[in-house]
Amino acid sequence: MKTSITAEPVNRLINEFSRLPGIGPKSAARLAYFILRGGEHEARSLAEAIVDVKERIGLCSECFNLSERDPCPICSDPERDRSLICVVEEPLDVIALDRTNEYSGLYHVLHGAISPVDGVGPDQIRVHELVERVRSAEKIEEVILATNPNIEGDATAMYIARQLAQFGVKVTRPASGLPVGGDLEYADEVTLGRALSGRRAL
Amino acid sequence: MKTSITAEPVNRLINEFSRLPGIGPKSAARLAYFILRGGEHEARSLAEAIVDVKERIGLCSECFNLSERDPCPICSDPERDRSLICVVEEPLDVIALDRTNEYSGLYHVLHGAISPVDGVGPDQIRVHELVERVRSAEKIEEVILATNPNIEGDATAMYIARQLAQFGVKVTRPASGLPVGGDLEYADEVTLGRALSGRRAL
């Protein structure tokens, strides 16, 4: 039998990288050898950033977005339109929406979507906190349900809409349709169908 | 002007991940949020593995492969065939070759390939160390130049072959040809050409 040719610390790092999403065993090995080839300082800097982010970042107690401060910069920004709440599944969605410059209201991060198949019910995500927020706030006029345009996101939006019906706020959902810049012939039939049924007069 | 909505530690981690090979800004953000969502223990474990690998892994002074010990487990393995040296560009190549179970000789890791375009000459890689190794060793009969089958790898192999000519050792290069399990119609013309010119009698 031949001896193991990869040193234990290298194997361990490859295993650690493999646990990250979208990183298979080959990418993990490439990343590990990149770290090995790179400088001591760069490796330390990455390691520190990983530990640091866990130590310094928490959830905003109002919108449940990830933040260093509580309330977060968005919730404490006086320039923001406090009559609007945009409900999203993940913190990354907040960044994506804010980059559009089409929205300057507040957010609410659910941290997931209702998915009975995966055992995720309304109690596992921040739905209750949203309902309480709408109940206790004075100025909220509209809640935009920007959960993902898939089965789980649609189900979550439907559930939340029913929960919010009692408060008389406007509840909306972003339009589904063809991606801008995309080719019609490459659109899947569901997207194309939604784009047609949601057509608008010019 | 709107306030920055991503906390500094999160931005820093996204930047650190973006520096890794094959990780773009979107993947980096996904990785950062994965770390944020995950457990404290998992984050620490990844950070430790990164620091650990830099602290504990060095180069084998004989073959220049990455190793925790010097000489490395391969160079110090009495079962290995010491009359054969397989020359590769990167440590990952050693793992790939050893997995084939077709080879049980020694290795020599160049840590790169000659590439005048990128400013990499013979002095920037471990060519000199290879020549000295062949000169001083007694039993070496064959040096297999398993640098990558591309322009840089071919040039490096040619250069090394010239350097080793004086020692009267056999210098070989792995066959180029069709990948096993691949489809002939999908092979590029260079590969197909090499497969034809290297054809063997059955």
Side-chain angles (χ1 to χ4, degrees):
Chain A
M1 220 202 85
K2 288 199 278 183
T3 45
S4 166
I5 57 161
T6 329
E8 189 275 325
V10 182
N11 274 333
R12 189 180 146 211
L13 184 57
I14 294 176
N15 284 338
E16 288 288 341
F17 276 132
S18 311
R19 290 193 305 103
L20 300 176
I23 310 244
K26 286 211 172 180
S27 308
R30 214 180 316 123
L31 292 179
Y33 282 98
F34 178 84
I35 298 284
L36 275 162
R37 262 201 312 272
E40 176 94 26
H41 174 75
E42 281 76 16
R44 251 176 219 292
S45 173
L46 171 59
E48 276 166 18
I50 291 166
V51 173
D52 212 41
V53 90
K54 293 299 287 184
E55 278 172 1
R56 287 170 59 188
I57 302 293
L59 295 184
C60 169
S61 58
E62 289 182 28
C63 73
F64 299 95
N65 194 4
L66 296 163
S67 172
E68 221 179 329
R69 289 180 283 147
D70 186 17
C72 74
I74 296 179
C75 287
S76 53
D77 183 351
E79 305 276 292
R80 290 269 172 173
D81 181 351
R82 312 191 82 78
S83 68
L84 270 172
I85 293 185
C86 182
V87 179
V88 296
E89 293 182 19
E90 301 293 345
L92 275 178
D93 301 330
V94 172
I95 297 173
L97 284 163
D98 232 62
R99 233 183 343 232
T100 65
N101 286 321
E102 296 280 334
Y103 183 74
S104 63
L106 304 177
Y107 291 94
H108 187 93
V109 183
L110 296 172
H111 292 276
I114 297 172
S115 171
V117 183
D118 304 313
V120 181
D123 295 341
Q124 273 80 54
I125 61 176
R126 305 281 183 174
V127 171
H128 179 70
E129 288 85 344
L130 171 65
V131 175
E132 283 311 303
R133 201 175 158 193
V134 175
R135 186 198 306 275
S136 60
E138 283 163 25
K139 316 187 5 178
I140 294 170
E141 288 165 17
E142 181 178 349
V143 175
I144 305 171
L145 301 174
T147 50
N148 288 332
N150 55 25
I151 296 175
E152 291 81 15
D154 287 345
T156 308
M158 290 299 291
Y159 180 86
I160 295 174
R162 275 200 305 273
Q163 300 289 309
L164 297 181
Q166 53 183 312
F167 304 115
V169 296
K170 196 169 152 193
V171 177
T172 58
R173 186 134 171 75
S176 269
L178 295 170
V180 177
D183 252 30
L184 194 132
E185 64 180 297
Y186 294 130
D188 63 285
E189 51 267 61
V190 182
T191 302
L192 205 50
R194 289 214 188 170
L196 278 176
S197 66
R199 66 191 181 276
R200 288 158 34 153
L202 286 178
Chain B
M1 219 202 84
K2 287 199 278 185
T3 46
S4 166
I5 58 159
T6 329
E8 189 274 324
V10 182
N11 274 334
R12 188 178 146 213
L13 183 57
I14 294 175
N15 285 338
E16 288 288 343
F17 275 131
S18 312
R19 291 192 306 101
L20 300 177
I23 311 248
K26 286 211 171 179
S27 307
R30 213 179 318 122
L31 292 179
Y33 282 98
F34 178 83
I35 298 285
L36 274 161
R37 262 201 313 272
E40 177 93 27
H41 174 75
E42 281 75 17
R44 251 176 219 290
S45 173
L46 171 59
E48 276 166 19
I50 292 167
V51 173
D52 212 41
V53 90
K54 294 300 287 185
E55 279 173 359
R56 287 171 58 189
I57 301 292
L59 295 184
C60 170
S61 59
E62 289 182 28
C63 73
F64 300 95
N65 194 6
L66 295 163
S67 171
E68 221 179 329
R69 288 182 283 148
D70 186 17
C72 73
I74 295 179
C75 287
S76 53
D77 183 351
E79 306 277 292
R80 290 268 172 174
D81 181 351
R82 313 190 83 80
S83 69
L84 271 172
I85 293 185
C86 181
V87 179
V88 296
E89 293 183 19
E90 300 294 345
L92 274 179
D93 302 330
V94 172
I95 297 172
L97 284 164
D98 232 61
R99 230 179 350 227
T100 64
N101 287 320
E102 294 281 334
Y103 184 75
S104 62
L106 303 177
Y107 291 94
H108 187 93
V109 183
L110 295 172
H111 291 276
I114 296 171
S115 171
V117 183
D118 304 312
V120 181
D123 295 341
Q124 272 81 52
I125 60 176
R126 305 280 184 174
V127 171
H128 179 71
E129 289 85 344
L130 172 66
V131 175
E132 282 312 302
R133 201 175 158 193
V134 175
R135 185 198 306 277
S136 60
E138 283 162 26
K139 314 184 12 174
I140 295 170
E141 288 165 18
E142 182 177 349
V143 175
I144 304 170
L145 300 174
T147 50
N148 288 332
N150 54 27
I151 296 174
E152 291 81 15
D154 287 345
T156 308
M158 290 300 291
Y159 180 86
I160 294 174
R162 277 201 304 273
Q163 299 289 310
L164 296 182
Q166 53 182 312
F167 303 114
V169 296
K170 196 169 154 192
V171 177
T172 58
R173 187 136 171 73
S176 269
L178 296 170
V180 177
D183 251 31
L184 194 134
E185 65 180 298
Y186 294 130
D188 62 286
E189 51 266 61
V190 182
T191 301
L192 206 48
R194 288 214 189 171
L196 277 176
S197 66
R199 67 190 180 277
R200 287 157 34 151
L202 286 180

